[in-house]
Amino acid sequence: MSSTPLLDRIADPAALRALPRAELPTLARELRQFVLSSVAMTGGHLSSNLGTIELTLALHYVYDTPRDRIVWDVGHQTYAHKILTGRRAAMDKLRMRGGPSGFPRRSESEFDTFGTAHSSTSISAALGMAVAARLQHAERHVVAVIGDGAMSAGMAFEALNNAGTADANLLVVLNDNDMSISEPVGAFNQHLAKVLASRFYNTVRRGGKEMLSRLPPVRELAKRAEEHFKGMVLPGTLFEEFGFNYIGPIDGHDLDVLVRTLQNVRALKGPQFLHVVTRKGQGYGRAEADPILYHGVSRFDPQVGYAPKPAARPTYSDVFGDWLCDTARADPRLVGITPAMREGSGMVRFSQQFPGRYFDVGIAEQHAVTFAAGLACEGMLPVVAIYSTFLQRAYDQLIHDVALQHLPVTFAIDRAGIVGADGATHLGAFDLSYLRCIPNMTVMAPSDENECRQMLTTAFELGTPAAVRYPRGAGPGVALAAERKALPVGKGEIRRAAQGKPRVAILAFGAPLAAALAAGETLDATVANMRFVKPLDEALVLELARTHRRLVTVEENVVAGGAGSAVAECLAAHGIEVPLVHLGLPDAFIDHGDPAGLLAEAGLDAAGIVAAIERASHADPGQVVTLAAARRDQGAA
C-alpha cells in the first residue's frame, strides 16, 4: 500500500471518483486536517468549511463534475471543493491578492459553476441551469447546496415555488447545521431516507399515482395519507407542498449513507429535496464548541486555539454599537434591526442589554427594511444595521417603503468602500451613488470615529430617512466626545487652509479625509471635510470654486454618480466652470487583497492623490479629470 497521503493523489474529482468507497473516510480526515491547517495559516471561514467535508466529498464522488453542476449557496463553505478541484497548491494565498477567492468564482475554475457570496441565490441559479439542460436535451444533473440560514430569505422560497412546477431535474441539498439528529430518530430516518430515495419506492409511487388518477376520491385519500404519515416522521411536508420529493434528514458526516443516498437520488427525475444535517466545526473541538467565534478567523495556532487580538482602537462597528446602546437608554423608541449580522455590525451588547428592542430578522434584507418602515409608521425609531453590499438587495424597499413615505428610518451602513479579503462580492463601492439619487434621503460619510457618532445622532434625530456609511475596521483614532451631539445638516468644514496662494481645493467625503490632509500638506492645498453627500454643502462648494483654480473630489465610492458627481452637478447648475478632478474607486469590481494596497492602487492614498493632482495640472484647464483618465494619460506618457 502506498504511503502517499490520499489527498496528494487527488488532482481533480475524476481522481476522487477512481477511489474505492472504503477509502473515502481516510480522505475525509486528511482533507479536514488540510482545511484546518490552511485556514489557520491564511485566515478565512473555518466552522462552515469543517462542517461540509463529507458532503463535498460525496457530491464530487457521485456526480460527474464539472459536467454535472453544483451550485454552492453563499460559498463560504467551499474550501474543500476548491482543494478537490485543482486549487490545493494555491490555498496558502487564499483571499490574498493573486490567490483564490474565498467564494466560488466562474473565472477561477470550471468547477465553480456559479459565482456566489450573497445568500440564497443557489436554488434560482441551479433551476436556471436545470431548465437549460432540459431545453438543450443535455443529460446532466444540477445540485444546489443551501444552508438552513440561507433558507430564511424569501428568494429561496420564490425559487422553490417555481422549481416545483418547472419540469426540471433539480436536487436541492439543505445543509442543516443548526441542529443535530437525536438518537431515537437518527437510524430510522436514515433508513427511511434511503427507502424514499430508492428507484423501487419512486417507481411504485409514480405507478400508484397514475392508477389512482382515474379514481379522484381514492387518489385524494392516498395523497392525504402519505402526507400525514410523512408529517409524523419527517419535517418535509412543507417541501412536498412545493412539489419536491423530500428525502431525509440524514447524517451529513456519514459518508456511506451520503454516497448511497446521493446515488439513489441521482437516478430520480423531477425536483428532489435532500435534507442533510451537519455540524459546524466538525472534527475540531474548539470550533464545534464555539462555531460563531470560528466562523471567520485570522491567522492562529490550531493547538492553542483562536483568540481575536484586541483592536488597538475601536472599529467603526464598535463606535456604532456603543452609540446604539447609549441612544437606546436615552430614547425608548429606538429599535435595532439586523439581517443576520449581529456580530459583524457590532450589535452584540445591544442585543444583550435591550433584547426586547433587538430584532435579527435572518438573511432577509428586503424584509428588514420594510419591517423597519412598519415600525416607523407606528412611532418607533428603527435603526437598520446593514452592510453596504447587502443593502443593495433591498433597494426597492428603501425607495418604495421608506423614502417615498418619508419615514424616520436610520441606516447604519457598515463595510462601505473596499473590504479587503472578502473581495468583489462584498465591495461597498456603490452606496453613495445609489443613495443620493433617492428623494427624501440624507446621506452622510464620517471621516473619523467621533464624526461617525455625531452623524448617527444627526440621522436618528432628523425624523426622516437618513444613512450614515462608514468603512470596515478602525478609523484614524480620534477620541469620542462624551455627549451625543448632532451636526448641522448639510454643512461641511475647512480642515486645512492653503498657506500660500490658493491653487487647489480638495473636497474629501468620508474616510479619505486623512489621505487628503496628507496630500494637502505636500501640495499646500485647501482641504474640506464635506461630511454630507446629500444635502451637499453647496455654499462651501461655490466658495471654494470662486477662490481656487482647481477642485479635487475624493471618495471611497465609484466615481460614476457619486459625491464628485454631486459637486459637478452643483457647479453646472450655478454656471460655474472650474477644472475638476474626480478621484474614487474605478469602474471595476475590486478583487480581494490587503485594503491599504488596494486603496493605493486605486489612487486613494496620499501619494495617489498628489500624483493625480500633478498630472491634472498639465491637462486641459477645462477638462474634468477622473482617475481612469489620469491613468490613461500616465500610460500614454
Side-chain angles (χ1 to χ4, degrees):
M1 180 179 292
S2 172
S3 60
T4 304
L6 282 176
L7 189 57
D8 288 350
R9 293 153 49 188
I10 307 301
D12 54 36
L16 167 65
R17 291 188 282 271
L19 290 178
R21 190 191 300 179
E23 292 189 315
L24 292 183
T26 300
L27 181 58
R29 287 192 293 272
E30 293 179 7
L31 185 55
R32 179 167 277 110
Q33 183 57 47
F34 185 91
V35 168
L36 176 59
S37 302
S38 176
V39 176
M41 181 177 66
T42 64
H45 294 99
L46 183 61
S47 297
S48 54
N49 282 289
L50 292 176
T52 55
I53 298 293
E54 289 82 5
L55 177 59
T56 304
L57 281 171
L59 286 167
H60 280 295
Y61 191 76
V62 172
Y63 287 91
D64 183 19
T65 56
R67 180 173 170 274
D68 290 337
R69 318 296 200 216
I70 300 177
V71 181
W72 300 89
D73 208 283
V74 182
H76 65 314
Q77 77 275 39
T78 54
Y79 294 1
H81 162 80
K82 288 175 180 281
I83 293 164
L84 294 172
T85 54
R87 287 164 277 181
R88 180 160 66 100
M91 292 298 285
D92 61 346
K93 291 183 172 58
L94 179 72
R95 305 187 340 139
M96 301 176 194
R97 192 61 188 270
S101 168
F103 305 97
R105 193 174 188 180
R106 282 171 56 84
S107 61
E108 188 176 294
S109 170
E110 63 178 336
F111 291 92
D112 292 0
T113 59
F114 194 78
T116 55
H118 287 193
S119 166
S120 315
T121 62
S122 61
I123 304 175
S124 297
L127 177 60
M129 294 176 181
V131 170
R134 174 171 60 80
L135 295 174
Q136 296 165 0
H137 307 289
E139 288 296 324
R140 61 174 178 264
H141 298 83
V142 183
V143 181
V145 183
I146 185 169
D148 55 304
M151 287 296 293
S152 65
M155 185 175 178
F157 285 91
E158 292 172 16
L160 288 173
N161 185 56
N162 187 200
T165 59
D167 188 26
N169 297 325
L170 171 68
L171 169 61
V172 175
V173 177
L174 172 61
N175 175 28
D176 183 349
N177 53 31
D178 197 36
M179 58 174 285
S180 60
I181 302 175
S182 60
E183 289 296 330
V185 300
F188 172 73
N189 275 289
Q190 288 176 15
H191 170 73
L192 186 56
K194 284 180 282 187
V195 171
L196 292 175
S198 69
R199 296 188 194 185
F200 173 76
Y201 171 83
N202 280 275
T203 299
V204 171
R205 189 167 179 253
R206 284 195 303 271
K209 284 185 176 180
E210 290 174 5
M211 179 187 71
L212 293 173
S213 65
R214 300 166 190 167
L215 302 169
V218 180
R219 178 189 62 190
E220 184 63 24
L221 178 63
K223 178 182 177 184
R224 290 188 179 184
E226 178 187 43
E227 289 176 351
H228 282 293
F229 173 70
K230 283 192 174 183
M232 288 187 291
V233 297
L234 293 173
T237 304
L238 171 65
F239 303 109
E240 292 276 4
E241 290 294 334
F242 278 115
F244 282 78
N245 177 40
Y246 174 88
I247 302 156
I250 65 172
D251 185 349
H253 301 296
D254 188 324
L255 271 164
D256 187 58
V257 169
L258 275 171
V259 169
R260 282 189 286 151
T261 303
L262 286 170
Q263 286 174 334
N264 284 334
V265 171
R266 192 172 186 269
L268 302 178
K269 300 294 184 182
Q272 310 295 321
F273 193 99
L274 175 60
H275 185 171
V276 175
V277 178
T278 62
R279 184 175 187 178
K280 285 185 176 179
Q282 174 74 12
Y284 182 54
R286 292 181 172 91
E288 290 178 4
D290 195 345
I292 293 178
L293 175 65
Y294 285 85
H295 172 74
V297 298
S298 53
R299 297 180 183 183
F300 74 103
D301 183 348
Q303 300 301 319
V304 176
Y306 175 64
K309 294 180 181 179
R313 52 185 184 268
T315 65
Y316 281 101
S317 300
D318 295 333
V319 172
F320 164 71
D322 292 342
W323 171 86
L324 194 65
C325 290
D326 293 345
T327 308
R329 277 190 288 272
D331 195 327
R333 297 174 297 171
L334 183 148
V335 292
I337 302 167
T338 176
M341 282 298 178
R342 184 185 69 161
E343 287 77 19
S345 295
M347 296 183 73
V348 173
R349 191 157 67 88
F350 177 80
S351 71
Q352 296 166 344
Q353 294 183 6
F354 302 94
R357 289 192 270 162
Y358 166 74
F359 299 94
D360 182 345
V361 301
I363 304 174
E365 294 86 357
Q366 292 173 294
H367 165 61
V369 173
T370 304
F371 173 58
L375 285 162
C377 283
E378 299 302 323
M380 304 303 289
L381 296 176
V383 177
V384 179
I386 191 166
Y387 290 7
S388 172
T389 187
F390 297 151
L391 183 56
Q392 296 162 185
R393 311 186 80 185
Y395 194 55
D396 179 63
Q397 288 70 29
L398 179 63
I399 296 172
H400 182 272
D401 300 337
V402 175
L404 179 62
Q405 302 186 89
H406 212 215
L407 293 172
V409 178
T410 297
F411 293 92
I413 305 175
D414 204 336
R415 275 39 172 199
I418 286 175
V419 292
D422 282 337
T425 56
H426 286 60
L427 182 65
F430 313 108
D431 53 72
L432 293 185
S433 300
Y434 71 65
L435 287 171
R436 80 172 193 89
C437 65
I438 302 175
N440 297 332
M441 286 293 299
T442 298
V443 184
M444 293 167 268
S447 61
D448 59 48
E449 300 91 331
N450 189 56
E451 202 164 69
C452 182
R453 184 177 173 88
Q454 291 175 314
M455 287 182 178
L456 288 165
T457 299
T458 306
F460 186 75
E461 293 180 356
L462 272 178
T464 58
V468 180
R469 61 96 72 172
Y470 43 89
R472 182 175 191 170
V478 174
L480 301 177
E483 73 278 9
R484 291 186 304 109
K485 180 182 177 183
L487 295 171
V489 177
K491 294 298 179 182
E493 60 173 359
I494 299 294
R495 288 291 295 271
R496 184 191 188 280
Q499 301 303 305
K501 185 177 180 180
R503 218 168 35 89
V504 175
I506 304 173
L507 287 66
F509 293 84
L513 176 65
L517 286 169
E521 289 295 324
T522 300
L523 298 170
D524 188 24
T526 299
V527 180
N529 174 23
M530 296 304 296
R531 288 178 168 167
F532 288 81
V533 178
K534 185 177 184 179
L536 182 70
D537 189 342
E538 293 194 354
L540 180 56
V541 171
L542 297 176
E543 175 62 23
L544 292 173
R546 282 191 288 265
T547 55
H548 292 75
R549 293 172 58 190
R550 186 179 304 275
L551 299 187
V552 180
T553 63
V554 187
E555 60 192 300
E556 197 173 329
N557 186 83
V558 291
V559 171
S565 295
V567 171
E569 291 163 14
C570 170
L571 295 172
H574 289 84
I576 295 178
E577 295 184 12
V578 62
L580 278 174
V581 178
H582 293 319
L583 300 183
L585 298 178
D587 184 21
F589 291 104
I590 297 175
D591 270 344
H592 46 280
D594 172 66
L598 295 172
L599 282 171
E601 184 175 322
L604 293 180
D605 62 348
I609 295 171
V610 169
I613 293 173
E614 289 180 340
R615 286 193 299 271
S617 66
H618 302 295
D620 180 344
Q623 181 181 0
V624 175
V625 180
T626 66
L627 179 61
R631 282 179 172 164
R632 285 196 300 272
D633 293 343
Q634 186 181 36

